[in-house]
Amino acid sequence: MSGDAALERLKREGRIVVVGASLAGLRAAETLREKGFSGSLTMIGDEPHEPYDRPPLSKQVLLGKATADRTALPRRLDIDAKWRLGVPAAGLDMKARRVRLADGDEVEYDRLLIATGVRARPWPKPEEGSLDGVFVLRTRDDGAALERALAAGPGRVLVIGAGFTGSEIASACRERGLAVTVAERGDAPLVGALGGVVGAVAAEMHRENGVDLRTGIMVTALEGDSSGRVRAAHLSDGTTLEAEVVVVSLGAQRNTEWLTGSGLGAGPRGIACDAGCRAFDIWGIVTDDIYVAGDVARSPHALFGYQFLSLEHWGNAVAQAETAAHNMLSESAERRPHVWVPAFWSSQFGVNIKSVGVPSMGTEIVITQGSRAERRFVGVYGYQGRVIGAVTFDQCRWLDFYEQQIEQTAPFPPPYSTVDRRPEGNRPLDADFPDPSIPTHGPTITLSGYSPADRRMKFTPAHN
Amino acid sequence: MTEGILRQILDYSSRADPYPLYEELRKTPVFHDGTGPYVLSTYHEIKGLLHDPRISSDSRNLTAVAGDPLSETGEDEGEGVLPPSFLKLDPPDHDRLRRMTNRPFGPPHSPRRVEQMRGELGGIVKGLIDAIAKEGDPSRIDLVEEFSYPFPVTVICRLLGVPPEDEARFHVWADTLAASLDPDPGADPAERADKTKGARMELGMYLAGLIEERRKNPTGDMLSELATAQGPDGTMTTMEVLSTAALLLIAGHETTVNLITNGMLTLLRHPEHLARLRAEPDLGVPIVEELLRYEPPVQLLPQRSTLSDIEVAGVTIPKGSSLWLILASGNRDPKRFPDPDRFDPDRQDVQHLGLGSGIHSCFGAPLARLEAALALSELARRLENPRLLEDPPPYRQNAVLRGPRHLPIAVDGIRD
């Protein structure tokens, strides 16, 4: 049978299984149908809910402005799928092309898409993490539970970790008038993703909004009362902090354990795949029937030295899912690379933060527009004489330009003058990222892996 | 062929249909005839420049452009009648003034201001159509004079807080100032300049009086809020309130007149969509969006300049150059919109340039969209068998703010 005929048959009567029923899984399924796939489509998800949107969970939901069960993702079309919700995938037999489910069922596939995403990293001591009043925030149920706890008006909330999610939670607490302490192991909030220069601005935002921000500090233990409710946290400076609600916001772990022993190149950093979303096996050989998309994928990016990037970004999930779905139904010559320029946004303390490129790869930063003092600025990150990333605080309309600069590997520091360049912006500063040998709860982007020119593994800022 | 193409675009004979010229121009994405401005006509290049921090909107960086049609203070600017509004400023001054103006107008501080005007806008539309039904001649209605001009002026008066009894005076000034943006080669320039200056002076003094009054007795309208608001950016000076109010007045209605008129003209040329709109008033929203792509009221932005040498589509534009960004041409760029010359309200992904993009993107967009959707839906519903009496209708002279000067139509009657 010729390739064309096999492909036509796959489209007509093939079996496609999507593991992971969230943003990436849903968008992939929709794209498959849009591209004329009329075979059987099975969607497997460990949560009982149909796909929902996560960004509102740390924003509107925590403010009580939206309810967690109203964040279902809009459907672009009817995907006519068999839904297996509330049952996690438990194993993969690559040879027999079967996904094993936790309830013992098995589902056969001709093409498999893995979009199992990440989960919240739990508090490392399970007995402390299971105290009443200790929360993480990743799922819809997490969001609903935390919202209820905040609505009850606790005397103090402790947020452990000042990454994007932790900062958004702290912001929501302040907006609700709750006393909140943020404990951050690094020197400033957001420091892993954006570096110390921008982190200092974020620290000011916390403090001006009444957050009790404590940096360079670790929570060493959580203490419960006799009824099993959390009552206090012990800090590495020897102090004790009383708190009725504790939110553990220490980043995410990739959901790859179910693939252990399958022979697929899956591990704590995600599932390695090529730029066309085809998964690698443990030998680094690309598979032809297993695809990966979303937070769990780790793929090389031509624009960033072919380093393998794992991105926990909403837009990346959508774009990668669409590319994966396209490639699943395409001849090799028609396949497309996933070359999305990383981009993410956050909203905290009334400030809109957006970023493009990979700021955490940058070694220097220059403020090209606006001013840090006003907390409205554009920061451009440089790496080996080129622009590698940019961040905006309440200046997002300029972002397209900086994205282009990154795409065109424009020189750093930028040689031009802009409509709004203050004296402080003229000089590149050390971007002040933490020493990667000192573990933090981690940036949203991790870089690792090997480039064609240098096939040795490179050390990765600790993510595990 | 491109020789003299700018002259052809400005030439009145091209007014009814400039699109073939734009198509010609797009063959040279960065067009420069050696002396004039650098002209950008393709979608992605224009979009890029609208987000490019090396491009200034401050005309003090430009050598004077004769008859600059978007300048609300026109040639009088040098005489210090009013300081430049935020339309013609760069950050940080632009950002500060736009932010302060936005506080009483839109999110996050006044998220419902525009939506709350919906009922009032509907009432104005109804009143104007009722008046046509009562006093108009169904065999010849000039939709511009009788509807699409008075509607936005009335709206801007209500928004700013101009007392109803003063609206008539306001209309006269607005009319004179609008005419000044519409260079008519037949008129005596000195006389016109005098008249314009007089109108601007009277309007300025009138507004200054109103601002003083609102400062003492705020009434919740935009003028009161602009005059009294104290936010993190402080309070606007009287001169700043004046130039902002003048901007809202002129930019806020002159463009909407053309949007509504271009809209009705387009719908009359596409009766199937007019019929759909009559049956389904909610289609007004996608129809307006497609109109902003297909027949944008602001055809080009003629007052940008480069602060550095910049490379666009392989051409280096030197620092200090004047740029023309032909938004209407970018909107018809086949590299961005499939079948761009087709009016298609069902089009998906209509990220047009009709309201600009970047930090100067149309401040009044939410209001303009609402006004146009309400106006077109209601006209579609009430006019019985409307038809064009002249096609093309007579256009205004202005190549930048392009639209019909009159839109004569006939109807069989007007429904209640």
Side-chain angles (χ1 to χ4, degrees):
Chain A
M1 187 158 44
S2 78
D4 268 359
L7 198 59
E8 279 316 305
R9 190 165 157 197
L10 171 76
K11 278 190 169 183
R12 204 170 54 244
E13 57 194 45
R15 299 160 302 178
I16 294 184
V17 172
V18 178
V19 185
S22 191
L23 178 63
L26 178 66
R27 289 291 177 253
E30 289 175 339
T31 308
L32 288 168
R33 290 300 190 207
E34 274 163 13
K35 294 196 176 286
F37 173 66
S38 59
S40 88
L41 183 59
T42 306
M43 304 286 293
I44 298 169
D46 60 343
E47 290 184 64
H49 314 294
E50 292 207 359
Y52 58 86
D53 210 16
R54 295 184 200 278
L57 295 178
S58 58
K59 303 176 179 82
Q60 293 91 327
V61 169
L62 289 193
L63 293 172
K65 289 180 179 167
T67 59
D69 58 358
R70 294 283 178 83
T71 65
L73 281 164
R75 300 294 179 84
R76 296 198 296 216
L77 73 170
D78 179 15
I79 57 172
D80 184 25
K82 284 177 224 153
W83 293 87
R84 300 294 304 261
L85 297 175
V87 193
L92 169 66
D93 185 337
M94 287 170 62
K95 205 168 171 190
R97 293 184 168 176
R98 276 201 292 259
V99 174
R100 197 174 72 254
L101 302 185
D103 63 6
D105 248 10
E106 297 197 330
V107 189
E108 297 187 319
Y109 63 82
D110 299 304
R111 293 275 189 281
L112 172 65
L113 176 70
I114 301 175
T116 43
V118 302
R119 63 183 184 278
R121 181 184 305 280
W123 185 241
K125 300 180 209 170
E127 68 286 0
E128 293 177 10
S130 61
L131 290 169
D132 273 354
V134 178
F135 298 87
V136 293
L137 180 53
R138 175 72 195 171
T139 66
R140 172 193 279 190
D141 294 346
D142 295 340
L146 181 55
E147 199 281 325
R148 276 196 302 276
L150 299 184
R156 177 164 295 274
V157 179
L158 168 64
V159 179
I160 306 175
F164 282 103
T165 306
S167 297
E168 287 176 10
I169 294 166
S171 167
C173 287
R174 289 308 301 147
E175 204 165 319
R176 300 183 79 134
L178 300 171
V180 58
T181 298
V182 173
E184 162 60 42
R185 185 151 51 176
D187 291 334
L190 313 182
V191 73
L194 297 175
V197 172
V198 174
V201 181
E204 278 169 31
M205 276 161 50
H206 278 249
R207 295 198 165 111
E208 278 175 28
N209 285 280
V211 174
D212 170 28
L213 173 68
R214 307 194 191 179
T215 56
I217 208 164
M218 293 206 302
V219 175
T220 54
L222 300 176
E223 184 190 321
D225 61 18
S226 54
S227 68
R229 269 205 69 82
V230 71
R231 58 164 294 274
H234 297 278
L235 307 178
S236 58
D237 63 358
T239 58
T240 299
L241 180 84
E242 291 191 14
E244 289 170 48
V245 169
V246 174
V247 192
V248 178
S249 190
L250 295 176
Q253 283 178 314
R254 300 194 149 70
N255 291 318
T256 54
E257 290 83 352
W258 66 284
L259 294 163
T260 305
S262 66
L264 204 64
R269 294 199 199 101
I271 302 166
C273 62
D274 74 359
C277 308
R278 294 180 298 178
F280 287 157
D281 70 12
I282 55 170
W283 304 107
I285 299 171
V286 75
T287 59
D288 212 25
D289 49 1
I290 304 177
Y291 289 73
V292 197
D295 295 0
V296 79
R298 205 161 75 84
S299 66
H301 201 307
L303 208 47
F304 302 98
Y306 294 96
Q307 295 205 64
F308 279 69
L309 300 182
S310 296
L311 303 169
E312 293 170 33
H313 298 170
W314 194 96
N316 182 67
V318 171
Q320 200 166 22
E322 288 171 357
T323 302
H326 170 88
N327 290 346
M328 286 169 96
L329 300 178
S330 298
E331 289 290 356
S332 61
E334 262 97 60
R335 290 192 185 125
R336 305 196 296 236
H338 173 61
V339 286
W340 193 73
V341 176
F344 70 86
W345 81 96
S346 174
S347 167
Q348 43 189 278
F349 306 107
V351 175
N352 176 289
I353 301 175
K354 286 195 174 185
S355 150
V356 286
V358 187
S360 60
M361 257 177 104
T363 51
E364 291 176 286
I365 185 171
V366 62
I367 305 300
T368 55
Q369 295 179 248
S371 107
R372 279 181 288 160
E374 292 168 22
R375 296 203 299 251
R376 277 187 284 265
F377 63 90
V378 180
V380 173
Y381 293 83
Y383 172 70
Q384 295 183 348
R386 60 166 286 201
V387 175
I388 199 89
V391 64
T392 59
F393 276 46
D394 276 349
Q395 292 276 310
C396 66
R397 286 174 189 270
W398 297 112
L399 215 56
D400 285 0
F401 170 77
Y402 291 98
E403 182 173 336
Q404 266 186 10
Q405 295 278 295
I406 295 163
E407 286 171 354
Q408 293 162 5
T409 65
F412 182 92
Y416 45 80
S417 47
T418 72
V419 286
D420 178 17
R421 192 163 188 171
R422 319 291 173 82
E424 66 163 281
N426 287 328
R427 202 163 40 88
L429 306 166
D430 183 339
D432 192 19
F433 281 97
D435 178 347
S437 66
I438 299 169
T440 71
H441 60 272
T444 47
I445 301 159
T446 66
L447 306 175
S448 70
Y450 30 78
S451 71
D454 173 13
R455 298 184 66 92
R456 287 169 304 163
M457 290 292 286
K458 286 175 84 173
F459 184 77
T460 306
H463 202 71
N464 274 290
Chain B
M1 168 62 206
T2 46
E3 208 57 34
I5 198 161
L6 296 189
R7 194 181 38 73
Q8 287 184 64
I9 289 173
L10 294 176
D11 193 292
Y12 184 73
S13 63
S14 310
R15 203 65 71 246
D17 186 12
Y19 297 102
L21 286 170
Y22 296 157
E23 187 179 346
E24 192 58 35
L25 204 53
R26 281 195 298 269
K27 293 176 184 167
T28 315
V30 182
F31 174 77
H32 183 55
D33 68 5
T35 53
Y38 284 78
V39 181
L40 282 294
S41 53
T42 48
Y43 180 90
H44 293 288
E45 283 68 24
I46 294 171
K47 181 96 189 251
L49 290 174
L50 289 171
H51 290 260
D52 194 321
R54 300 167 298 181
I55 305 300
S56 171
S57 296
D58 191 331
S59 53
R60 288 168 293 195
N61 290 315
L62 258 185
T63 46
V65 174
D68 178 353
L70 269 192
S71 161
E72 77 280 3
T73 48
E75 57 279 9
D76 277 353
E77 194 166 57
E79 299 171 29
V81 172
L82 289 176
S85 70
F86 60 78
L87 177 72
K88 303 189 70 179
L89 289 174
D90 287 336
D93 298 331
H94 161 274
D95 293 5
R96 180 178 58 86
L97 284 171
R98 181 163 168 143
R99 257 193 325 264
M100 290 168 85
T101 310
N102 200 54
R103 280 180 84 88
F105 186 68
H109 301 285
S110 313
R112 285 180 193 83
R113 176 134 217 162
V114 170
E115 192 50 38
Q116 275 165 353
M117 291 185 77
R118 181 182 284 271
E120 195 176 351
L121 300 187
I124 300 168
V125 168
K126 181 176 183 303
L128 288 169
I129 301 179
D130 286 349
I132 299 172
K134 210 167 132 199
E135 297 148 23
D137 169 6
S139 68
R140 192 171 182 93
I141 298 166
D142 180 358
L143 211 63
V144 176
E145 291 288 331
E146 296 176 52
F147 184 82
S148 48
Y149 180 72
F151 176 41
V153 180
T154 308
V155 173
I156 201 75
C157 285
R158 303 276 177 94
L159 182 72
L160 288 175
V162 172
E165 62 270 22
D166 294 341
E167 273 185 26
R169 292 161 73 198
F170 219 75
H171 276 222
V172 176
W173 294 323
D175 212 9
T176 310
L177 293 180
S180 77
L181 299 175
D182 186 8
D184 176 358
D188 172 6
E191 189 186 319
R192 262 166 51 104
D194 261 10
K195 220 174 139 191
T196 306
K197 202 171 166 184
R200 187 171 289 122
M201 192 72 85
E202 283 183 58
L203 173 66
M205 284 170 64
Y206 172 78
L207 282 174
L210 212 51
I211 290 162
E212 256 342 284
E213 207 179 297
R214 291 295 193 278
R215 206 162 253 156
K216 287 183 207 123
N217 300 303
T219 50
D221 49 52
M222 284 251 326
L223 270 186
S224 302
E225 304 259 344
L226 292 176
T228 61
Q230 295 196 346
D233 291 301
T235 307
M236 275 194 199
T237 65
T238 298
M239 287 308 270
E240 285 171 340
V241 180
L242 265 178
S243 70
T244 303
L247 170 68
L248 297 181
L249 168 70
I250 302 298
H253 86 264
E254 187 59 19
T255 46
T256 316
V257 176
N258 287 336
L259 178 58
I260 295 171
T261 314
N262 290 340
M264 215 39 212
L265 174 62
T266 303
L267 287 172
L268 289 166
R269 286 169 174 170
H270 296 84
E272 71 282 11
H273 294 305
L274 187 62
R276 283 177 70 199
L277 179 59
R278 181 176 305 130
E280 214 184 312
D282 287 352
L283 277 179
V285 173
I287 282 176
V288 167
E289 222 46 47
E290 173 69 346
L291 275 172
L292 285 163
R293 185 195 71 82
Y294 183 78
E295 288 278 25
V298 179
Q299 294 269 300
L300 61 116
L301 301 177
Q303 55 179 31
R304 305 282 162 118
S305 56
T306 50
L307 298 174
S308 301
D309 289 359
I310 61 167
E311 195 195 307
V312 179
V315 176
T316 299
I317 305 176
K319 175 179 176 174
S321 302
S322 158
L323 302 181
W324 280 19
L325 310 181
I326 317 246
L327 305 176
S329 173
N331 280 352
R332 301 266 189 131
D333 185 345
K335 284 195 180 138
R336 177 60 183 80
F337 298 103
D339 201 2
D341 292 325
R342 197 161 74 90
F343 176 71
D344 176 11
D346 300 316
R347 193 180 284 275
Q348 300 296 304
D349 185 28
V350 200
Q351 297 282 321
H352 57 74
L353 300 170
L355 299 168
S357 189
I359 63 165
H360 292 282
S361 72
C362 177
F363 178 85
L367 182 61
R369 284 184 162 113
L370 182 60
E371 284 182 50
L374 279 174
L376 294 176
S377 301
E378 196 60 7
L379 287 171
R381 188 180 73 77
R382 295 193 61 186
L383 303 184
E384 270 180 57
N385 188 27
R387 53 214 180 260
L388 281 175
L389 294 179
E390 287 173 52
D391 193 4
Y395 270 78
R396 292 163 190 259
Q397 175 61 34
N398 202 312
V400 173
L401 304 175
R402 172 178 164 267
R405 179 189 291 282
H406 302 286
L407 190 66
I409 62 167
V411 298
D412 289 349
I414 293 180
R415 299 182 189 89
D416 278 336

